[in-house]
Amino acid sequence: MNIQQSPNFKASDYKSGLTPVWCPGCGDFHVLLSVTKALAELGTPPENVAVISGIGCSSRIPAYTNCYGFHGVHGRSLALGAGLKVARPDLTVMVMSGDGDGFSIGGNHFLHACRRNVDMTYIVMDNRVYGMTKGQPSPTTEPDWDSALSPGGTGLSPFHPLVIALASGANFVAREFSGDIKGSTRTIVEAVRHPGFSFVEILSPCVTFRPDERQWKTQTHAASVEATDDPARAARRIMTDDGFNVGVLYRGRRKPYETHVSDLAGDPAILEEEFAV
Amino acid sequence: MTAGVTSKVIGSAGELLAHAYQMELEAQERYGYLADQMEMHNNADLAKLFRELARVEGIHAGDILEQMQGMQVPQINPLDYKWSGSESPEALDMGDMHYMMTPRQALLLALKAEQNAFEFFDHLLKSTDDEDTRRFAAEFAEEEQEHVELVLKELKKHPESDERTREDMDPPIQQE
Amino acid sequence: MKTPGELRKSISFAIIGSGGAGALTAGAILLETAGKAGWYGIMNRSVGPQIRGGEAAALVRLTTHPVDCMAESYDFVIAIDWRNADRFAAEMPLAADGLAIGDTAGGEVPDVIAASGITVAQMAMKDLAGSVQGGRENMIAAGLAAKLAGLPVDTLMAVVEAKLASKGDEAINASRACISIGVSEADRFEQSFHLDKPVTGSTGRWLITGNEAIGLGAVRGGIRFAAAYPITPATEVLEWLAPALTRVGGALVQAEDELASINMAIGASFGGRASITATSGPGLALMVEALGLATASEIPIVVVDVMRGGPSTGIPTKSEQSDLNIAVYGCHGDAPHIVVAPLSVADCLFTAQWAVHLAEAMQAPAIVLSDQSLGQARALVDRPADIAFVAKRNVLGSEVEEAYDRYALTGSGVSPMALPGTAGGQYTADGLTHTVKGVPSSKESDHQNQLDKRRDKIENFDYGNHWADIEISNDDCTDTQFTILTWGSLAGPAREAMHTLAAEGISVKLLAIRLISPFLKQNFLDALQGSQRILIVEQTHSGQFHEYLRAKCDIPGEVRHFHRAGPKLIGPAEICARIRDWKTS
């Protein structure tokens, strides 16, 4: 066999040997596949990638990769990721979360991560339900979705992640459907390459508590408009969105958060001068 | 979003082999992965079935690898394969799974995947004039057709009349 | 009344003023002047609730010898105005031979001072300052205080000139003129409170706050990342670190809240950089969950808690030691970690540096329990000794074995940590109970093994003799009857009480605990060997320290307990009084 150019990495190189605990049919399997394919496409060695998460079904993902991972506490993955990226700018940092973890308990961090614009990628697997705790409504759940905790539905307006990301200053905003492996892979690659904070919402069905979401496979469709770098245009589009447009909405040009960490450390003795009387 | 036939031209036998190999490899990996999932969820019948399908695809992948010896085979990035669907035509969509899936339901999905694979090569056979490419496309289409027959034969062992609705007698477990 | 010329080892004074009168600036300038002239000292402050223009008191103590606490009585108070001064009056009881000088144009003398029987004098500071173009009352107060304390006026002038260099000659000249007025006004008073000559042999003097000292200690220890969310009285730690870290190749990130700041620190430390955050009680309450995460996932971090009055928002500007319980017991589950407490302003440097060393060596969180009385006090101290403690983490090398187990069970409990970028070291840090590989597990054996590992590494560590300061006032005396047992910032008052009592012929041992958790029971009992009467002293309402010690061991001998909530700091005289009472009872 004469392979003209040997690829550095295959998608399977980014997968660990652990079998996920996710229910068969769960969209998160697709997301894991898309992420590993995207990393293969990017060609970043697995040891130079960190996958950071919080709590929930989606947040189990780091251990299923062969990258460095951190499965932290509920809602704080973006803070873990930002600290890591600022301290280690050489790493590719991907923060992965779910709609409960990312938008409810972690909602404030989401706003400020968008603002701060640290160069990392934030993927939220949105299934509009808390799965790990047996099916409670999340911030993206429809108001009339019935559950034991909120009988008859919450009656609350769902949270609109893309609108909020855009309004908060995220530098790259996209939505994908988990089952569209190619589209998701392509968008994740672009999100990682895009400077600053990139946000990708991936609609990822929960087949156990939201079997109706299997329909997303036919409901999602490619957005009919091209991505824009004009936040005003992006905002107008997203406000009339049906929730099932997939693709890149916005590519911003904001300067990423900058620090200048260096191992060529100055001698702390220089800090003592100010104290001498 | 489903697997599908090619919509772009495959120009050489080497390129075709690269696609065929990748297709079998992904099918093998997918069946193996689905077997893992079913094992995790204690659906032993399906785990066994998927494991067997993975084995068959593995043999096929090995055969293609042998055929690739001495050929000019291009390296193709994951996003550049020319099947029109989201994944290679022969890979089952993981989104169609269910932990209490029956062998018949799984075989119907496998049948669709094998038919997709057949269509991929058959379409190619009809749309290219390149002699070498046609030769391989014909050969692979025939093999996929054999797989289709195999799955159909297996399906006969699981007639619809035998299907029993499976029910989980336990509530879901909260984990975190 | 003292006759001029009688020299003192310690003097205390307060300068108060409101509406931006510059009382705190005057105090700081006088402290620096004393330092340049070779004395020691410490300054704290008491302030009203306003952000600008509020009433403020600079509380200054100058001494001939190193000093770690404020005095309990004041020799003189200078009021630029008396407006709202009653707010502070209780905090600055004047000595019987004390002197209160103020401008009654700005309010009446507070009743508590007027009724105390001390000399109260009027000085028209506002008018006097008005006589100088660009004159300021606080410089008159500074000149007055310098002269009363016997500080060299030339040195004061030099300090002020350096401070005002950027403001130009006009401002400098106005200040010089005002200082001169203050100095000559001092001649009106019979009293003087002159300091004796300072002890010699010092290696140079530093002027530093506890919060700055923590920052410097942290950087010396190897901290190169900080995450910050502002909170009184800890903010200065972070504000000092921001430019300092930049100068040594590190970075500080301002977070959106304390939940984020501690998680950022954990993230950065996961990446291999020694990391810190600083907060006060309300922030620590928010950080507790992540402290558990750092414990379980074995990521070293240092969390500084500059304690203030609690619970809830409490008294943000006043000191208390009441976060001891949350620092030790705040985490849910069994979560062994390190809690240390600096014993003085200067010791903030040592203890912070040690905390970095401990956290990094044991891959665990370390909490530094400072408090407002240390953090915001500015002290003249001997230049602290250089210490060798630096961050030294057991990191997985580049030669990775086939099967790397991040949480391997080792004899010490510490297992090599792979840093991102190390090929073959990939693992997922997890707050879930995990196997040696870091894979989530609910197996009994995994849970037990990892709990044991995390306990052992902390309990088996060699803390050397830094766990406490143990001092005996009289070396000849082996069977010391009295022991003052305390922790953190109260070590200073306790030490001073010990020296005072020794001068009276009462021999006292001091046991001031720096390492709060883990509790070194054997060291503790050994240190108390021979002690018959133990006075436990702490600044909490409920007696948290006493209960903590009782929970850990049977304290030998007879025990008495002196505890009080803030804001009124426990001072040496109160401690002395309790020992004297005990002796005669």
Side-chain angles (χ1 to χ4, degrees), chain C residues 217-271:
Chain C
V219 176
R220 274 186 173 187
I223 292 289
R224 290 297 180 274
F225 179 90
Y229 190 75
I231 186 168
T232 303
T235 308
E236 297 91 352
V237 176
L238 302 160
E239 287 179 334
W240 187 85
L241 280 170
L245 282 173
T246 309
R247 292 177 70 191
V248 295
L252 177 140
V253 178
Q254 184 178 337
E256 55 271 31
D257 54 30
E258 288 92 345
L259 304 165
S261 59
I262 186 167
N263 277 283
M264 284 179 179
I266 294 171
S269 180
F270 171 72

Side-chain angles (χ1 to χ4, degrees), chain A residues 24-43:
Chain A
C26 177
D28 294 354
F29 282 109
H30 283 143
V31 178
L32 175 59
L33 183 62
S34 298
V35 166
T36 57
K37 285 191 174 208
L39 289 170
E41 179 82 12
L42 289 159

